[in-house]
Amino acid sequence: QVQLVESGGGLVQDGGSLRLSCVCSGGTFRMGWFRQGSGKEREYVARIISYSGRAYYTESVLGRFTISRDKAKNTMYLQMNSLKPEDTAVYYCAADTTYAYGDPTWPSSFDSWGQGTQVTVSS
């Protein structure tokens, strides 16, 4: 496992932008972002393969969110543009250090988690 620390959440108006950061303490196979709205289950947002930088997204954020990583800084980012009120949630950074089998969009495929950062989009 690794230690993950997120930052960058906050309050923004409908249509605004935010950038989340996640600093990782060690090597990973892949990293991802999940979110959990009030009273909802944790849902997959995006993931990135650590060695290649290849990125994948859930359909609802395609064209609005961009996941990236800076290998030198051991940091992953989530640039969120055109934010909508339905994007309001606690956003969690996650890492898979074991090349887990199973659906890569499932939380159970990641063995390390950050503490979460709140993103609130006002209408």
Side-chain angles (χ1 to χ4, degrees):
Q1 292 186 333
V2 293
Q3 302 299 314
L4 302 171
V5 179
E6 301 114 332
S7 61
L11 174 64
V12 65
Q13 289 188 333
D14 191 353
S17 298
L18 282 173
R19 189 176 80 156
L20 306 183
S21 299
C22 174
V23 179
C24 180
S25 65
T28 64
F29 169 68
R30 62 187 163 204
M31 297 183 71
W33 290 98
F34 288 76
R35 64 187 181 187
Q36 188 166 14
S38 180
K40 298 181 180 179
E41 292 189 354
R42 192 167 297 190
E43 67 169 347
Y44 163 79
V45 176
R47 71 186 187 275
I48 188 165
I49 306 302
S50 299
Y51 70 88
S52 68
R54 185 165 183 176
Y56 304 84
Y57 301 90
T58 192
E59 187 173 351
S60 63
V61 307
L62 272 173
R64 300 190 299 123
F65 291 10
T66 302
I67 189 172
S68 62
R69 89 272 188 259
D70 184 327
K71 282 183 164 180
K73 295 182 178 180
N74 259 2
T75 301
M76 177 179 66
Y77 304 98
L78 186 68
Q79 177 66 43
M80 304 185 293
N81 299 328
S82 302
L83 282 161
K84 306 174 182 180
E86 51 263 44
D87 295 317
T88 294
V90 177
Y91 282 70
Y92 295 91
C93 167
D96 170 17
T97 64
T98 64
Y99 188 32
Y101 289 99
D103 191 320
T105 67
W106 293 349
S108 59
S109 294
F110 294 81
D111 55 84
S112 304
W113 292 85
Q115 80 284 1
T117 185
Q118 177 71 45
V119 171
T120 303
V121 184
S122 63
S123 57

